[in-house]
Amino acid sequence: MNKIPFIYTFFLISSLLLGQSKNSSDEALRIIKLVDDNMISQTQIIESEMIVYGKRKSRTIRSKGFSSGEFKNFTEYLSPEREKGTKMLKLKDRLWIYSPTTDRIIQISGHLLRQSVMGSDLSYEDMMEERKLSLIYNCNIIGSEVLDSRDTWKIELTAKNDDVSYFRRIIWIDKLRYVPLRSDLFAKSGQLLKTTTFSDVKKLGKRWYPTKMNYKDVLKSGKGTDFIILNIDFDKKIPDNYFSKSSLKK
C-alpha cells in the first residue's frame, strides 16, 4: 500500500482547518452584522431606569437619552432629586458632564473614563461605546449553546485596534432573533472584567431588541446594575442643538 507523504498530509489538514476557519469567520461576520442591524439605528431616543444594587439597598436613576450615529449622545437625568438635572454630552471621544449642584461643566477623559457612572457597574467608556461590533472586531464562531432555553451561537470577538473598551468579547447570539443574550468582556491580558446579561427581548417594529440588561463588574461584589428601557424610538429626527455644549446648561 502506498503511503501518503507526511508533508502532504500536513498541508492537506492545514488547508482544511484554514478553510473551516475562514468559513466560520465569514458566517460569524454575517451574524454580527445582523446583530448590529437590530441593536443600532441612525438615531435613538431612550427613556430608561438604571437600578444600582448596593450592599444594603438599591437606587433607581431615571434618564432620557438622545443619540445620533456613532459619535453623538446627550443624556439628561430626571430622578432622583440628587441626580436630577445632571447632563452628559458625548461628541466622538470627548465627554462633558454638567452638574446642577455646582453649575459647572467638566470634561472626562483618559483613565477617568473607566470610572463608575453614579456608583453603577457601568463606566463612562461603556456608555460611550456605540460603534458597530462588525467594524471594530474580528469575529469567529467557537460553539453553540442553549442559553435561557434559546439556541445560541457562541462567538468570539477580538479587537482590530486598541481604541476599544474591551480587547476581547465572548458573546452568545440568539439564532432566531439575532440579539445578544450574554456577553463576557475581557482585557487584553485575558482577565475577565465584566459580564452583561440581556433579557426581556421584544419585537419593536422590524427589529428584536432586549429591553433589560444587567451589567456586572466582576471585580466588585453585588448583583450588578440593571438597565431597563421604558420606551425607545428609532430613527426619529433629533435637533442638532441637543448635541452642543450649550445644551448642557439649558
Side-chain angles (χ1 to χ4, degrees):
M1 179 182 293
N2 294 329
K3 293 183 178 181
I4 299 174
F6 170 78
I7 191 69
Y8 175 78
T9 304
F10 173 79
F11 280 117
L12 179 62
I13 293 173
S14 298
S15 298
L16 289 171
L17 290 176
L18 286 171
Q20 290 174 354
S21 176
K22 182 178 184 301
N23 291 336
S24 178
S25 297
D26 291 344
E27 177 64 3
L29 180 59
R30 182 190 71 83
I31 293 166
I32 294 300
K33 284 183 175 179
L34 289 171
V35 172
D36 283 339
D37 289 343
N38 265 329
M39 300 295 293
I40 296 177
S41 58
Q42 184 57 42
T43 65
Q44 289 185 3
I45 303 173
I46 299 177
E47 295 178 47
S48 64
E49 286 183 346
M50 185 169 67
I51 304 175
V52 183
Y53 296 99
K55 292 182 179 180
R56 296 184 179 179
K57 60 181 182 179
S58 63
R59 294 186 300 125
T60 299
I61 303 168
R62 190 163 182 167
S63 66
K64 188 169 185 177
F66 304 81
S67 64
S68 177
E70 300 177 8
F71 302 114
K72 297 179 181 179
N73 185 285
F74 173 80
T75 301
E76 179 175 4
Y77 290 87
L78 307 175
S79 66
E81 197 63 32
R82 180 181 174 183
E83 276 83 22
K84 185 177 180 179
T86 299
K87 299 174 184 177
M88 297 184 188
L89 174 66
K90 183 198 87 169
L91 298 175
K92 294 187 178 180
D93 59 350
R94 294 175 294 172
L95 178 68
W96 293 273
I97 300 176
Y98 168 72
S99 169
T101 304
T102 61
D103 194 31
R104 291 179 56 201
I105 297 172
I106 61 171
Q107 184 173 352
I108 304 293
S109 60
H111 69 280
L112 295 177
L113 291 171
R114 302 189 185 99
Q115 290 185 339
S116 165
V117 177
M118 297 182 176
S120 72
D121 286 54
L122 284 86
S123 68
Y124 293 108
E125 278 186 328
D126 293 330
M127 297 187 69
M128 291 179 69
E129 187 62 87
E130 295 180 355
R131 292 177 292 176
K132 291 183 177 181
L133 296 175
S134 58
L135 297 180
I136 59 177
Y137 286 100
N138 295 310
C139 43
N140 196 48
I141 298 172
I142 58 175
S144 294
E145 290 184 12
V146 175
L147 188 64
D148 296 332
S149 301
R150 306 290 304 187
D151 288 329
T152 69
W153 289 288
K154 187 176 179 182
I155 296 179
E156 180 182 48
L157 306 178
T158 307
K160 295 179 180 180
N161 300 297
D162 290 333
D163 64 335
V164 294
S165 303
Y166 303 100
F167 178 77
R168 178 170 166 263
R169 301 177 184 233
I170 303 294
I171 187 168
W172 285 256
I173 306 296
D174 188 313
K175 288 187 175 182
L176 291 179
R177 300 179 295 189
Y178 294 95
V179 292
L181 298 183
R182 173 179 161 182
S183 181
D184 290 353
L185 312 174
F186 299 84
K188 196 170 186 177
S189 65
Q191 181 181 17
L192 176 64
L193 298 176
K194 291 184 181 179
T195 63
T196 309
T197 303
F198 304 83
S199 58
D200 292 358
V201 178
K202 298 178 180 179
K203 187 71 178 292
L204 302 175
K206 295 182 179 180
R207 71 179 79 219
W208 290 98
Y209 203 90
T211 59
K212 181 178 180 180
M213 302 88 166
N214 177 267
Y215 297 89
K216 179 69 181 74
D217 185 337
V218 301
L219 305 179
K220 297 168 62 175
S221 60
K223 295 169 56 178
T225 297
D226 283 341
F227 185 85
I228 300 170
I229 294 175
L230 304 175
N231 186 63
I232 183 167
D233 291 314
F234 300 101
D235 299 319
K236 285 197 171 182
K237 184 172 178 57
I238 301 173
D240 290 338
N241 60 8
Y242 274 87
F243 306 111
S244 65
K245 287 182 68 176
S246 61
S247 66
L248 291 169
K249 284 197 173 187
K250 287 183 178 180

